[in-house]
Amino acid sequence: MSLVILFVLYLLTLSQCCKIASSVPPAVSMCRNCTELPKHLIQCEPVLDLEGNRTFLDKYGYGCVEMGGENYGEVKMTPVVCYPLEHFTCVHDPENSVPRDRTQKEIKDELLFLSTFTEPCIKYSGHYFQSTLIMSILLGIIGVDRFCLGWTGIGVGKMLTLGGLGIWWLIDIILLITGNLTPNDKSNWERLY
């Protein structure tokens, strides 16, 4: 019974939600500003990789000029472009608009907003440290580990010299363990959890 009452109240406020002025205090209205929605009621796009384009970051205030980092201090944080879940309405603040050229085309302009929370500038591309280490130990002599990490040229050299007669193979295992050999696309290792 209580679910039916809540659903009726939802339907009554749904049509009025977008008409409420932003000056109405949230305690009076059942509608919230889109930026005030909790994370479970919004869908956010992945972190935007600007590939060194600092101009976009300075103009719009979001995106990652540089991706990755090995420890917490090296990883940059950025807001992300979000929109409310389907069939959920919120009050849009025009001050918090997002440029259209870098966002999903099927989402209406008035639903896009910049999040108040930040996400780390990290990308993952399917490389696991444990499997790469095992691959390096077993097949590193013919350069398979370098091929899988995207270091194709070095992989060919390692394959033709049979791992530098074993020396290069051993050095790569040490580099991998110490964290100095990472994927070529500057992505981080995938998490196991």
Side-chain angles (χ1 to χ4, degrees):
M1 183 64 170
S2 62
L3 287 175
V4 173
I5 294 171
L6 285 174
F7 183 71
V8 170
L9 284 174
Y10 169 74
L11 290 178
L12 290 173
T13 59
L14 182 63
S15 61
Q16 300 299 319
C17 188
C18 292
K19 298 176 186 174
I20 295 174
S22 59
S23 62
V24 176
V28 176
S29 164
M30 288 187 72
C31 296
R32 289 180 138 185
N33 189 316
C34 292
T35 58
E36 296 172 356
L37 293 176
K39 279 187 176 184
H40 68 278
L41 294 178
I42 59 175
Q43 180 72 39
C44 294
E45 294 181 354
V47 172
L48 180 62
D49 185 3
L50 298 177
E51 299 171 356
N53 185 358
R54 180 157 285 292
T55 307
F56 186 91
L57 177 65
D58 293 340
K59 185 173 181 181
Y60 298 110
Y62 74 99
C64 297
V65 176
E66 189 177 304
M67 298 292 277
E70 289 299 316
N71 59 38
Y72 183 78
E74 294 176 359
V75 177
K76 306 286 187 249
M77 304 292 279
T78 183
V80 289
V81 176
C82 299
Y83 48 92
L85 292 177
E86 191 177 354
H87 306 298
F88 190 82
T89 311
C90 60
V91 178
H92 177 68
D93 180 12
E95 295 288 323
N96 198 10
S97 61
V98 178
R100 179 43 118 184
D101 60 335
R102 295 247 188 180
T103 57
Q104 293 183 5
K105 303 297 183 207
E106 67 268 5
I107 305 298
K108 296 179 185 174
D109 283 338
E110 65 268 9
L111 296 179
L112 295 173
F113 61 92
L114 210 53
S115 66
T116 55
F117 55 87
T118 57
E119 294 287 332
C121 293
I122 293 177
K123 66 179 175 182
Y124 298 102
S125 58
H127 299 288
Y128 290 91
F129 174 77
Q130 290 82 356
S131 59
T132 305
L133 180 62
I134 292 169
M135 191 181 321
S136 184
I137 292 169
L138 298 177
L139 299 171
I141 199 85
I142 56 173
V144 173
D145 54 344
R146 289 288 187 152
F147 283 114
C148 290
L149 290 176
W151 299 98
T152 310
I154 297 173
V156 169
K158 195 172 172 183
M159 181 176 62
L160 293 175
T161 61
L162 289 176
L165 298 175
I167 297 170
W168 197 347
W169 169 70
L170 188 60
I171 290 172
D172 272 356
I173 292 172
I174 294 168
L175 288 175
L176 209 76
I177 291 171
T178 59
N180 294 314
L181 179 58
T182 57
N184 189 23
D185 61 359
K186 305 220 183 304
S187 64
N188 287 45
W189 298 110
E190 288 281 352
R191 298 171 288 187
L192 289 177
Y193 52 91

